[in-house]
Amino acid sequence: MRSFALLLGIGLATASCGNAEAYLAYVSNEKGNTITVIDTAKLEAIKTIKVGQRPRGITLTKDGKHILVCVGDDDTIEIIDANTHEIVGTLPSGPDPELFALAPDGRTLYVANEDNNLVTIIDIERRVPLGEVEVGVEPEGMGLSPDGKLLVNTSETTNMAHFIDTATRKIVGNVLVDPRPRFAQFKADGSEVWVSSEIGGSVSVIDPQKFAVKKKITFEIPGMRKESIQPVGIGITTDGKWAFVALGPANRVAVIDAASYAVQKYLLVGQRVWEMAFTPDEKLLFVTNGVSNDVSVIDVASQKVIKSIAVGELPWGVAISPQ
Amino acid sequence: MTDPFRLLFIAILLLVCEPTRAAEPAEIKIGYLRVPEPKITLSLLQTPADNDGLAGAQMAIDDNNTTGRFLNQRFSLDDTLVGAKDDPAAAALSLADKGAALIIADLPADALLKAADAGRARGLVLFNAGAIDDRLREEDCRVNVIHTAPTRSMLADGLAQYLVWKQWRRWLLVVGSHPADKLYADAIRRAARRFGGRIVQERVFEDTGGARRTDSGVVQVQRQIPVFTQEAPAYDVLVAADESEVFANYLPYRTWDPRPVAGSAGLVPTSWDASHGQWGAYQMQNRFMARFSRRMTAVDMQAWSAARMIGEAASRTRSADAKTLVDFMKGPEFTLAAFKGQRLSLRPWNLQLRQPILLADGRMVVSVSPQEGFLHQVSELDTLGVDQPETKCKLK
């Protein structure tokens, strides 16, 4: 009994050390038409915000004051006050917005419009569209270089990563990747952009200077048929050492040595794991599990799943407040 | 990026795409063969449009050309009608004369074989987007015919897996009197044996002639169908095999016993449905509706898949050469994304496109097969249809 109490004491101490910083994680629930707010210190859901139809892509403004969420079936992006959780406005996103990227200036938002093969550029302060870029069929994933100069858009049926010069709004490079590219993520130093191919089952590591695939990462899980390994969300630590890739209906997150590109292990999470976000201190990684209606929390240092948190129906995207 | 550098980069890109003539896009001509006869259906909603199938191919040509802009490739479609008196072989050869080496065909089985055999010496490869006959992938398979339409056995297996999963194992099978109906019934019997369904009784619905639409027909039908379906042994679901559109759509809500209907009416196994919106299909449906002002059908999807396979192979190989494209499609690297939640690929032993089967009731997609728990050592998609160990196909 004493040893148990001692262990418990150590456990609690470790837990409180690991979660010293409290942030808020916002999870968009595609079917529930809600956002679940999670306290990242307590690791529990503390509030549910009602939003428009089919919320998917979600991000926070740089000042942390507003949450932006794509509500695709309402053909708009809703702006939510992060303190009051009231919807305070909408953005002219074009039809069926799904994913977007916010520029480092905190003001320019790039939105993928799947229905009309366009990327729409919006000024979120004035809430007006600034322009459009024609891309491939079914634009989806959006990634911005850390300096904001290069935008990567993936088109799901054209199967390319389009590199767009944000100053001229012109395509400067097209890189063919495996079928149905879903998500694009730059390394923090801008040296690489990683693009996941859901149907192709791979991640292409692209050199954004040469517009060339320098490495294709594939996945093998014993006993798992290859059709169910569908990479979607990608998270790369700021030091560029580790990458985490959500594998969809394979119900696992791959942990990859981001220098050697070797897959180190697969973490079992919930069903149809989709997108992910790090806490700002990068101690924790939150991943959304669409079919099992929960979020798995991964301890980044130990590379272990430490908790599942029930959220709304079909959780899709996740964003975590900077403070 | 500075301007001279960007120009240099574009120049390099163009060189990579087309080493000999950088300015001219590589041209990929695709032929399309179809029968002009309209199909008469019991339900007005299911009457095919004049461009059924063709529209799907055109949609894929648009999609391919959007991609082609970035790769300096251009795709075009040459539509040719093959009437009852026309020779399908001559039609295929005339497309070959116009430079189309790849032909999408929505033809009956015999016409398809004639076109394929005539075109073989000219290097023509046909994409069967219409005929669901198993024999085209079995004893009558051809090395120059790729099949994007599912087979009857794939459709029946997709349905059977769901019925068994649902524990509706006792089936009353009602078969039409036309040859195609009997082939569908064969596929349903085979599916019952494979997956543990039990056909408690079979009945034949004779086509005695008569119009499919009359001004007061519903009064008679309401009396006929209950009588036709009475005194059946205990069953869970009525499975109808009526490809000829004679009776199946009369069955739902009119059976003597209150039982669901599946097969040719009620819960229908299909490669596509206008209500399918999962896995990005919503975008496909929107794109199709905006372009053609109608909903996308199974034949549209099958033709779309064929033209997209060509586009996909062209962008992967950076080639416009038909043989290069077809070799790539037959290889292990080829996959097609077609809004069905997983990759599609070709069965190398008979060139059939592996694909999930949707189960739709005309308003919603109820389920998608293969069902959970039906396992396979290669691909769970190969639990649908005739598998490699049982195939009669010898590609030569």
Side-chain angles (χ1 to χ4, degrees):
Chain A
M1 192 61 213
R2 242 181 89 189
S3 58
F4 174 72
L6 189 66
L7 278 174
L8 188 70
I10 293 167
L12 283 173
T14 326
S16 58
C17 288
N19 301 323
E21 299 291 332
Y23 309 104
L24 294 178
Y26 300 91
V27 177
S28 61
N29 301 304
E30 182 186 4
K31 190 161 193 294
N33 292 341
T34 54
I35 290 172
T36 304
V37 186
I38 295 170
D39 180 321
T40 68
K42 294 182 189 149
L43 294 181
E44 57 190 47
I46 54 168
K47 192 175 159 86
T48 301
I49 308 171
K50 281 187 187 168
V51 295
Q53 298 280 320
R54 202 175 183 195
R56 286 185 283 177
I58 185 166
T59 195
L60 285 135
T61 53
K62 300 287 172 193
D63 59 11
K65 287 183 181 161
H66 293 101
I67 307 154
L68 304 178
V69 61
C70 293
V71 281
D73 281 359
D74 286 338
D75 297 327
T76 192
I77 294 169
E78 286 178 335
I79 308 168
I80 299 162
D81 185 307
N83 285 319
T84 64
H85 295 158
E86 299 285 325
I87 295 166
V88 294
T90 59
L91 294 173
S93 63
D96 195 17
E98 181 170 341
L99 269 173
F100 46 30
L102 187 59
D105 67 9
R107 182 163 177 175
T108 315
L109 187 71
Y110 302 93
V111 187
N113 292 119
E114 282 199 282
D115 273 358
N116 47 12
N117 305 343
L118 291 174
V119 166
T120 302
I121 306 163
I122 302 171
D123 179 333
I124 62 169
E125 275 177 29
R126 288 163 50 222
R127 299 182 188 175
V128 293
L130 298 174
E132 294 168 340
V133 183
E134 263 190 70
V135 290
V137 185
E138 291 168 31
E140 166 97 12
M142 302 288 277
L144 260 177
S145 61
D147 60 10
K149 287 181 179 165
L150 203 53
L151 172 72
V152 174
N153 162 253
T154 66
S155 50
E156 290 176 330
T157 292
T158 289
N159 300 329
M160 282 182 180
H162 306 287
F163 286 78
I164 298 163
D165 180 332
T166 55
T168 62
R169 297 178 191 161
K170 293 269 189 293
I171 293 180
V172 292
N174 297 294
V175 179
L176 199 63
V177 293
D178 280 346
R180 210 166 160 77
R182 291 300 295 244
F183 197 83
Q185 178 70 49
F186 272 88
K187 271 192 175 173
D189 64 3
S191 63
E192 291 172 356
V193 57
W194 292 36
V195 173
S196 58
S197 291
E198 184 189 11
I199 294 291
S202 65
V203 170
S204 296
V205 179
I206 299 172
D207 180 333
Q209 306 294 316
K210 297 177 183 157
F211 305 121
V213 175
K214 57 190 270 193
K215 172 74 187 178
K216 195 193 284 185
I217 302 167
T218 55
F219 305 91
E220 269 180 47
I221 303 169
M224 183 76 58
R225 64 200 168 91
K226 60 181 185 295
E227 287 96 337
S228 65
I229 299 175
Q230 301 183 351
V232 188
I234 302 172
I236 307 175
T237 54
T238 309
D239 60 15
K241 286 186 178 160
W242 293 100
F244 296 81
V245 176
L247 298 179
N251 307 335
R252 283 162 176 81
V253 169
V255 183
I256 301 167
D257 178 330
S260 70
Y261 311 115
V263 180
Q264 299 294 322
K265 60 167 116 172
Y266 296 96
L267 306 175
L268 190 62
V269 290
Q271 288 179 279
R272 205 204 73 164
V273 57
W274 210 245
E275 299 257 305
M276 60 179 72
F278 289 105
T279 51
D281 60 10
E282 286 189 3
K283 285 185 176 162
L284 299 177
L285 178 66
F286 285 67
V287 301
T288 56
N289 306 313
V291 174
S292 49
N293 295 341
D294 61 1
V295 162
S296 297
V297 184
I298 294 168
D299 183 275
V300 175
S302 67
Q303 299 176 351
K304 286 198 167 85
V305 179
I306 56 167
K307 180 141 185 171
S308 308
I309 303 166
V311 292
E313 276 185 283
L314 284 187
W316 199 95
V318 52
I320 300 180
S321 65
Q323 60 250 331
Chain B
M1 195 184 290
T2 57
D3 270 356
F5 186 71
R6 190 183 313 132
L7 282 174
L8 180 69
F9 163 71
I10 291 167
I12 291 168
L13 242 194
L14 292 175
L15 278 175
V16 170
C17 298
E18 179 71 301
T20 47
R21 298 171 64 194
E24 281 297 302
E27 187 82 32
I28 296 154
K29 287 185 182 170
I30 303 171
Y32 197 96
L33 291 176
R34 59 188 178 126
V35 180
E37 276 80 37
K39 185 182 174 189
I40 303 173
T41 57
L42 291 178
S43 166
L44 279 180
L45 286 180
Q46 290 170 346
T47 304
D50 289 343
N51 62 352
D52 190 30
L54 180 71
Q58 285 167 337
M59 189 79 248
I61 295 287
D62 287 2
D63 291 349
N64 290 348
N65 279 330
T66 304
T67 304
R69 270 190 324 184
F70 304 116
L71 295 172
N72 209 31
Q73 293 176 331
R74 194 160 57 210
F75 298 80
S76 62
L77 193 66
D78 193 329
D79 174 32
T80 304
L81 294 174
V82 187
K85 289 174 187 162
D86 297 336
D87 177 14
L93 293 175
S94 82
L95 282 172
D97 291 340
K98 289 192 238 174
L102 304 170
I103 297 176
I104 302 169
D106 178 12
L107 295 174
D110 288 332
L112 179 80
L113 291 177
K114 276 182 197 158
D117 292 343
R120 189 166 170 185
R122 300 277 298 271
L124 290 190
V125 174
L126 274 70
F127 292 76
N128 169 25
I132 59 174
D133 305 71
D134 280 89
R135 73 176 167 103
L136 294 173
R137 293 80 164 167
E138 297 301 317
E139 59 270 30
D140 289 335
C141 69
R142 295 291 189 272
V143 73
N144 66 331
V145 183
I146 291 168
H147 307 270
T148 57
T151 59
R152 284 192 183 89
S153 61
M154 289 164 74
L155 296 167
D157 288 351
L159 176 63
Q161 286 187 3
Y162 178 75
L163 297 181
V164 167
W165 179 86
K166 191 71 189 67
Q167 300 291 351
W168 289 342
R169 289 171 180 269
R170 298 172 302 174
W171 307 348
L172 175 63
L173 178 61
V174 181
V175 188
S177 55
H178 293 276
D181 309 335
K182 290 174 182 162
L183 289 172
Y184 194 17
D186 289 343
I188 291 165
R189 287 186 208 102
R190 175 181 172 278
R193 281 197 305 276
R194 290 182 92 192
F195 299 116
R198 190 160 63 83
I199 295 169
V200 297
Q201 195 181 71
E202 286 194 25
R203 294 182 179 191
V204 175
F205 197 106
E206 284 292 339
D207 183 4
T208 53
R212 287 181 176 77
R213 260 181 288 288
T214 52
D215 271 346
S216 55
V218 72
V219 180
Q220 281 190 1
V221 169
Q222 186 168 328
R223 290 178 191 150
Q224 286 164 353
I225 296 299
V227 174
F228 179 79
T229 52
Q230 72 179 336
E231 291 178 358
Y235 70 100
D236 300 312
V237 58
L238 190 158
V239 181
D242 173 34
E243 288 185 13
S244 314
E245 285 283 330
V246 173
F247 66 95
N249 275 307
Y250 291 148
L251 294 168
Y253 309 106
R254 295 191 178 103
T255 51
W256 183 268
D257 302 298
R259 294 289 178 272
V261 174
S264 298
L267 190 66
V268 176
T270 180
S271 69
W272 192 252
D273 188 78
S275 67
H276 177 52
Q278 289 186 80
W279 303 305
Y282 183 61
Q283 274 77 43
M284 177 80 234
Q285 304 275 20
N286 284 344
R287 206 154 73 233
F288 192 91
M289 186 62 147
R291 171 92 152 76
F292 298 104
S293 304
R294 66 170 177 83
R295 296 284 176 192
M296 190 175 187
T297 68
V299 184
D300 288 322
M301 186 59 198
Q302 289 152 203
W304 182 89
S305 301
R308 269 297 299 142
M309 284 175 73
I310 296 166
E312 180 66 15
S315 53
R316 297 285 158 203
T317 59
R318 307 261 168 127
S319 171
D321 172 56
K323 186 173 183 307
T324 308
L325 302 188
V326 171
D327 286 348
F328 180 75
M329 285 177 217
K330 292 179 182 175
E333 296 300 309
F334 179 78
T335 60
L336 182 72
F339 315 100
K340 292 183 187 168
Q342 56 179 295
R343 60 176 86 172
L344 313 189
S345 56
L346 279 185
R347 290 176 178 156
W349 66 89
N350 66 356
L351 307 182
Q352 167 67 48
L353 188 66
R354 292 184 176 101
Q355 56 192 292
I357 297 297
L358 312 182
L359 302 172
D361 71 351
R363 290 172 196 266
M364 290 296 283
V365 172
V366 175
S367 186
V368 181
S369 288
Q371 296 295 319
E372 205 179 338
F374 291 91
L375 303 177
H376 192 279
Q377 67 277 20
V378 177
S379 162
E380 278 161 33
L381 293 175
D382 286 346
T383 65
L384 304 173
V386 179
D387 198 5
Q388 187 163 18
E390 8 169 45
T391 188
K392 293 181 196 131
C393 173
K394 291 190 177 67
L395 290 176
K396 285 187 285 230

